[in-house]
Amino acid sequence: IFSPVKGCFKWLQGDVDELFDVKNAYYIGSYQQCINEAQKVKPTSPEKETERDMFLYRAYIAQRKYAVVLDDIKTNSPPELQAVRMFAEYLSSQNKRDAIVADLDKKMAKSVDAANTTFLLMAGSIYYHEMNTDAALRTLHQGESLECMAMTIQVLLSLDRVDLARKELKKMQEQDEDATLTQLATAWVNIAVGGEKLQDAYYIFQEMSDKYSSTLLLLNGQAACYMAQNKWEEAEGVLQEALDKDSSHPETLINLIVLTQHMGKAPEVTSRYLSQLKDAHRAHPFLKDYLAKENEFDRLVMQYAPTATA
Amino acid sequence: MLTKFETKSARVKGLSFHPKRPWVLASLHNGVIQLWDYRMCTLIDKFDEHDGPVRGIDFHKQQPLFVSGGDDYKIKVWNYKLRRCLFTLLGHLDYIRTTFFHHEYPWILSASDDQTIRIWNWQSRTCVCVLTGHNHYVMCAQFHPSEDLVVSASLDQTVRVWDISGLRKKNLSPGAVETEVRGISGVDLFGASDAVVKHVLEGHDRGVNWAAFHPSMPLIVSGADDRQVKIWRMNESKAWELDTCRGHYNNVSCAVFHPRQELILSNSEDKSIRVWDMSKRTGVQTFRRDHDRFWVLGAHPNLNLFAAGHDSGMIVFKLERERPAYAVHGNMLYYVKDRFLRQLDFNSSKDTAVMQLRSGSKFPVFSMSYNPAENAVLLCTRATNLENSTYDLYSIPKESDSQNPDAPEGKRSSGLTAVWVARNRFAVLDRMHSLLIKNLKNEIVKKVQVPSCEEIFYAGTGSLLLRDADGVTLFDVQQKRSLATVKIAKVKYVVWSADTSHVALLAKHAIMICNRKLESLCNIHENIRVKSGAWDESGVFIYTTSNHIKYALTSGDHGIIRTLDLPIYVTRVRGNSVYCLDRECRPRVLTIDPTEYRFKLALVNRKYDEVLHMVRNAKLVGQSIIAYLQKKGYPEVALHFVKDEKTRFSLALECGNIEVALEAAKALDERSCWERLGEAALLQGHHQVVEMCYQRTKNFDKLTFLYLITGNLAKLRKMMKIAEIRKDMSGHYQAALYLGDVTERVRILKNCGQKSLAYLTAATHGLDEEETVKNHSYVFLKVHSDINAIAAKGKAGQMAADLDMDAPGGEGWGDDAELQLDEDGFMDAQEGLGDEGVGREEGGGWEVEEDLDLPPELDLPAGAGGGAEDGFFVPPTKGMSPTQMWCNNSQLPVDHILAGSFETAMRLLHDQVGVVNFGPYKSLFMQTLSRGRTCYLGLPSLPCLRSHPQRNWKDCGAKQGLPAVGLRLSDLISRLQQCYQLTTSGRFEEAVERFRVILLSVPLLVVDNKQEIAEAQQLITICREYIVGLTMETERKKLPKDTLDQQKRLCEMAAYFTHCNLQPVHMVLVLRTALNLFFKLRNFKTAAGFARRLLELGPKPDVAQQTRKILAACEKTLTDAHQLNYDPHNPFDLCAASFVPLYRGRPVEKCPLSGACYSPPYKGQICRVTQVTEIGKDVIGLRVSPLQFR
């Protein structure tokens, strides 16, 4: 009785993106599913094949399996994949980063193939990791894909330019309002705007996890919404689910550090999460900030002293 | 008009609904009376005694009776329970047109072509009255439903109303004796008639076929051969024509009032049924048949059901759907009732009207879709002409007065169905079969063509179920593609489980349960209409048909839970309760017994402990359950609770549990059991059990063979002995043969007289005994090898058989065609491979070429474009972060720490509470900082984004934000308990540390009101008192106690400790220490003071007793032996550094945070209590609330 897809509604299949599932899984942070889908799908053209590989390898990068990417992508692979490889290389080793960035600067100084969106995205990602937001924005500005715009929004938000992020979002919405990326970007902007928009952001994450599957990305998004609304109990449930999925996910741990304090749990509980984070993710920006702040504290302490000593 | 049931038969001339049961009587032109169950759609009975057409038929309201009248001039009264005609009333002289029971009196009213109407008493079985006056056939005569009136219609073109009160008074007044009819006219001696004509209604200009009273108003409706339906009104004195409904274009056969609505139904020989609006006198609906003229109409007395008889049968129908529109979300039921949207809270059963619907549609709301995120509803209204259907989008008012709810302005558009697909999107199926996606403003966002789609259903976020002629498709709205299809005809409703993992598709007579991917899990067929359903919390689908509540497991198991009198619409199932709406839109809760489906569910899920628990507690044990378990393949479960050994035995065999079977077999000890057990055990290789079985059944042959194959020679030999004793020659010989015992064989042969054979055997194996013995092993081996050979042959035989089967198969099939096909396939494959290979190579080559040639060309324009854009693009500057705003908006230190602005935070703490040594604050600062930011992930593999929880997020806007603090006064206060415990257990240093953390945390609080400010200050005081006291006590314990001065100092410190403000439980301990020390020092007077203070605190009995003893001892010599620096009566502060009393009036320096006192030399030093503040520093003071800045 059951017949898959084929059949009466075949005429609907016209303008379907054959890579939809692959991309969608990637964007919502369901990386293994993205890899599975990518291995299942049979692209109809070489361009699609490259595009599929691009998402496949980026999913591996997101899982921190850099070696797969570095080994698989050869020098004769298409330029799009070369860009992905560059990003993988950048993330895989701390000490090569300067060289890669220098190399990238050179490439950017010359002219860039604006049609190679992947290159722009990867370059933008590297600059963003370097906290060189100017270069990141300049790079992304050349691309017109939804993902370029989404990344632009992310960079703008990190610069606290909600106003510009909203403008960029409007552009995305004009292009395709219902696209997963547009929805996600809407959620990010909504979180930044705050107030009533927080609930909207929450619903976006909720709808996605209803529709596809709940992922660490979506759960932490929901948790951020809840916490921004001071709904700590609700956030606890969501973060617990995230913790069950991956007990050492850095963003989950950071959010738990925030949450446990706000819930008035014993300081030991909080410091346990902090130690876990220090253990597994030494290079995480949060910890970098944290250490910098500790140093700053130590420096500032020097400025004060009692007028008399015992 | 909705047809519920149809029959095919000879022309139907009369109809009557049973008032309670789902039955309808149809009297036919061929003389038969049929009794139908219109719900089950079955013919219950047939009554065939009339000769010729039966036109009159009527159920009695209370008794199991009905009356019929036919063209054979006979009135028959029947008992349907006894299934026979009770008696026949004779008297009419021509065809009888109608027969009716009186609703109260034992009367039957009949109208006849003999121009008379007669009233009969069916108890005395006599005619009690004859109404004469009509001068043509009387086509119809009916009693008034409440008054003593009769209405009749005749081909003399008149309708007459008769007053029969005289008849009632005479016959039924107390003491009256019913008399025989006196003369045909019913006129008594004094000329007074029992029944008199009250009104003669003239207006029809052809013969009148039917006339009926309105159930409550003084109205009459009539239908006539002049093709008109007329409404008449009457009062005590007169009756007049009110109106005429024109429209039928042939003789009107019958016309009735709708029992509950302002409607008239009529049918006619023009093959139509028409519905008329009583007040507007216009046609509302018309229902036509192609070939059949209509003859009669019947209305159900209680339900919204009608029946109409025509040339080739009858139909049972209703005018409109009675299903309420409803939607369930969480604990809330939303439903439409009387133009109101109502909300029912399942938990509290609070039922409120939340809004009034816009009027203007004559059709009831067909379906509803509710959006919890936006608190909005879509209400769809179906018109008779589907193309005119509309939907309304309403936003439900947040607060409303249930008595008089708001009537918000909705947005109305045309469309067949509207369903939410996301928080801010809904899908509309329009009449052009396009799928429109609209936003909350009711604007079209997207349009998708779905030509064969007839209906759409909700399917979770972003998806829809589309129904076409023969299936349902799961459709992704975003991608515009179908994800899965399942074949099921005419799905009417779709019910998703709470987690949307399962869906039930309900069609008229079928239910299909699918998973999220629309893969069919089971199919259930129902003979009766499926009405509604809901998922219970354990994943069982509970549904209703017209007359049952039933369950279905996703495995396909289904059954009846209970029966229903009337259809209901299930809204929710929780535990034993089925929440539902009935046809009057009343929310109801029915109780069901869920044991059966819970049991089956537990079985399906293999939760056997649950199963057993249920079996034991619900006393389910019975043959049916065991049979069920056996049938469904759970013999091992059934085994658990079966006591009957016989059943146990067969169950055990069924599930292959030999041990249990053996037990049972032992208990039963029946030959057949042992045999069956033996077979089963043999199959499993349980040869010990097999042996036992063979022994019990004394099956020596098999036993012998068993010993042979198991190689048990000792037992085999024993078998030989047994055979010998039993004088079983062949058994004996066989055993000897198996054993290879030639001497024995020779002996047997000899004994049974086969001397030559004995000789032959002996000769073959050697004559003398030695040789025989020698050959023993050989023969044994040989026998074995024989057996092996046989076995091998058996195997070979099997193989041969396989080969044999293959061989003819090959011949049969091995024709050229197949070979060719194969070859072709192979060739194709090869070609395909070749092509692919070539293609790929080409592709590769081409790519290389492209790489060589194209990039420079491509790069240039792109680069130029990029460069030009670069020129225009100016990267934005950094914006104002929320943390910066926090610093701007607040003067509270914690806000600055949360914002990460340590510098300003320190400045504030310095200025407010005089902190100069920030070292101990480090962990508090870092902790506080770490709770100021949450993070969420943007694009994969990028650094996460930060969000900043704010305590005034609801109304802070973009600029007025303040961070969520995350440190509560109440939490600090509760942490005190821990410190107290540490103190009690004497871990003073740990306690001090903790008290200090609390103390240092207090300046990092944010509180809302004055009381809390005071509490915060009090908290500081408590911490200070403990820290000072405990530090001093720690110090004291370190001091030497060798000299008297040293001892005196110890006592002093112990005494000072008693002046710290501690909890009573601690003060008891402190006072006891001081008391003991002073007593030992023989300072009895002071000790007595401590003892009294101690007793005041109400210590434990043993402590109190001892204290009293000491006190008594002290009081004997109430003096102090030594002079100490301690005056209990002169109030003092304790210097927290030197631990000496600072009596009132002497100069003192204080810590700006803790308020600890110091003697002046300590000014400017670090406070011993806080370890962070400067003693005697001039400060603003503790600031923990914005109130303190106003």
Side-chain angles (χ1 to χ4, degrees), chain B residues 776-793:
Chain B
H776 175 177
S777 57
Y778 162 75
V779 172
F780 183 49
L781 277 177
K782 186 152 182 263
V783 169
H784 267 249
S785 62
D786 277 357
I787 290 165
N788 285 342
I790 289 163
K793 202 174 162 196

Side-chain angles (χ1 to χ4, degrees), chain A residues 8-9 11-13 20-21 111 129 154 159-161 177-178 207 211 255 258 261-262 293 304 307-308, chain B residues 423 425 468 473 478-482 863 877 879 881 900 916 927 930-931 933 935 939 941 966 1164 1174:
Chain A
C8 39
F9 286 94
W11 36 265
L12 287 171
Q13 305 296 331
F20 178 88
D21 290 329
S111 48
H129 270 279
Q154 186 167 356
L159 286 172
D160 297 308
R161 291 303 299 264
E177 192 174 353
D178 291 330
E207 273 181 6
K211 203 169 154 190
N255 284 330
V258 180
Q261 296 194 59
H262 280 281
K293 277 288 166 196
Y304 296 89
T307 44
Chain B
R423 171 183 44 93
R425 293 280 186 277
D468 67 0
T473 297
Q478 186 189 346
Q479 301 177 56
K480 301 184 190 168
R481 72 167 172 170
S482 53
T877 53
S881 77
V916 291
Q927 256 183 24
S930 71
R931 66 171 180 255
R933 288 154 196 74
C935 54
L939 287 170
S941 304
E1174 183 181 315

Side-chain angles (χ1 to χ4, degrees), chain B residues 581-622:
Chain B
L581 287 170
D582 64 13
R583 284 193 155 157
E584 275 77 47
C585 274
R586 280 179 309 225
R588 289 169 57 185
V589 185
L590 302 178
T591 313
I592 54 167
D593 178 4
T595 318
E596 180 178 334
Y597 67 78
R598 292 248 173 92
F599 177 80
K600 291 182 176 176
L601 186 70
L603 264 184
V604 170
N605 296 337
R606 309 224 153 236
K607 290 183 180 160
Y608 295 138
D609 47 339
E610 217 168 284
V611 172
L612 292 179
H613 178 82
M614 289 170 85
V615 165
R616 296 206 176 102
N617 291 309
K619 299 196 175 70
L620 280 177
V621 187

Side-chain angles (χ1 to χ4, degrees), chain A residues 51-67:
Chain A
E51 198 180 350
R52 178 202 59 188
D53 289 348
M54 189 187 96
F55 279 98
L56 172 70
Y57 291 125
R58 286 170 72 194
Y60 277 119
I61 291 177
Q63 291 186 333
R64 297 164 198 278
K65 292 174 183 158
Y66 307 123

Side-chain angles (χ1 to χ4, degrees), chain A residues 257-301:
Chain A
I257 290 171
V258 180
L259 179 80
T260 47
Q261 296 194 59
H262 280 281
M263 294 190 81
K265 302 220 169 163
E268 298 79 53
V269 181
T270 309
S271 44
R272 228 172 281 150
Y273 287 122
L274 189 62
S275 314
Q276 240 178 300
L277 187 67
K278 281 180 179 166
D279 232 24
H281 306 279
R282 208 143 254 298
H284 197 278
F286 174 86
L287 281 183
K288 283 188 187 164
D289 279 2
Y290 192 85
L291 292 176
K293 277 288 166 196
E294 275 187 328
N295 292 335
E296 186 190 339
F297 186 90
D298 292 341
R299 186 171 49 77
L300 289 168
V301 166

Side-chain angles (χ1 to χ4, degrees), chain B residues 159-162 197-201 234-239:
Chain B
V159 172
R160 287 174 196 237
V161 179
W162 311 74
V197 177
K198 199 171 178 198
H199 309 294
V200 179
L201 309 174
M234 58 177 183
N235 58 21
E236 265 315 298
S237 53
K238 58 174 182 169

